Amino acid sequence: MIEYECQKGFSLVELLVTIAVLAIVVSIGVPSFVTMMQNTNLDAAADDLAGAMYYARSEALQRNSAVEVEKLAAKTDFSGGFQVKLSSSNQVLRKYAAFNTSVSCTSCAGPVAFSASGTTLDTGSIELVHTNGFKRCIRITLSGGIRMQKDGC
């Protein structure tokens, strides 16, 4: 009687089929991962700018003095970096780095100032746009409220 040895492992065909299935799954997942990363860059920029607005309003109330959020001196808009400073003494309270290069700022007219009571006369919207077309909007109300929304202004 002939005895056969039991072989352990995978055949070449099984290995190739597994690699083909893995390649298909990865090719489906990569585009959504790229979109997720782009949205994350845009959300981070919007969170930074809105956070600076919240911080400026809080400092204005706490210090009983006007506080501004303004672009850094050599930059054209908030996307190049910005800072929170006291209006009276120009003391910089906090600086923020430039946004990711794929994020730009539209309708960024100028500094946003909060009075000692936390209100502002700089009402309006700041729109952040990613190169892929996604948008985030930061709205500033007369009472000093700050609200973020997706899909632009």
Side-chain angles (χ1 to χ4, degrees), residues 93-104:
L93 302 175
R94 195 175 283 178
K95 279 190 177 184
Y96 294 82
F99 298 154
N100 185 294
T101 55
S102 59
V103 178
S104 62

Side-chain angles (χ1 to χ4, degrees), residues 17-134:
V17 168
T18 303
I19 290 173
V21 169
L22 182 63
I24 291 170
V25 169
V26 167
S27 69
I28 291 170
V30 167
S32 63
F33 180 73
V34 169
T35 301
M36 182 192 72
M37 290 302 296
Q38 292 170 340
N39 276 332
T40 300
N41 288 336
L42 183 58
D43 287 338
D47 287 343
D48 279 352
L49 188 52
M53 302 285 178
Y54 286 121
Y55 174 70
R57 184 170 187 243
S58 171
E59 287 296 312
L61 289 166
Q62 183 178 0
R63 294 172 186 258
N64 198 27
S65 178
V67 176
E68 297 180 356
V69 178
E70 67 174 7
K71 63 184 173 136
L72 292 177
K75 307 301 179 187
T76 57
D77 62 21
F78 289 122
S79 64
F82 50 95
Q83 63 188 7
V84 177
K85 69 173 193 160
L86 289 174
S87 298
S88 58
S89 66
N90 287 334
Q91 176 191 359
V92 175
L93 302 175
R94 195 175 283 178
K95 279 190 177 184
Y96 294 82
F99 298 154
N100 185 294
T101 55
S102 59
V103 178
S104 62
C105 187
T106 60
S107 66
C108 298
V112 178
F114 293 91
S115 70
S117 62
T119 61
T120 183
L121 296 177
D122 303 315
T123 61
S125 301
I126 298 171
E127 187 172 58
L128 302 178
V129 181
H130 195 279
T131 53
N132 66 6
F134 292 124

Side-chain angles (χ1 to χ4, degrees), residues 127 134-137 149-153:
E127 187 172 58
F134 292 124
K135 298 176 181 179
R136 298 292 182 270
C137 181
Q149 68 184 48
K150 293 187 177 196
D151 302 326
C153 298

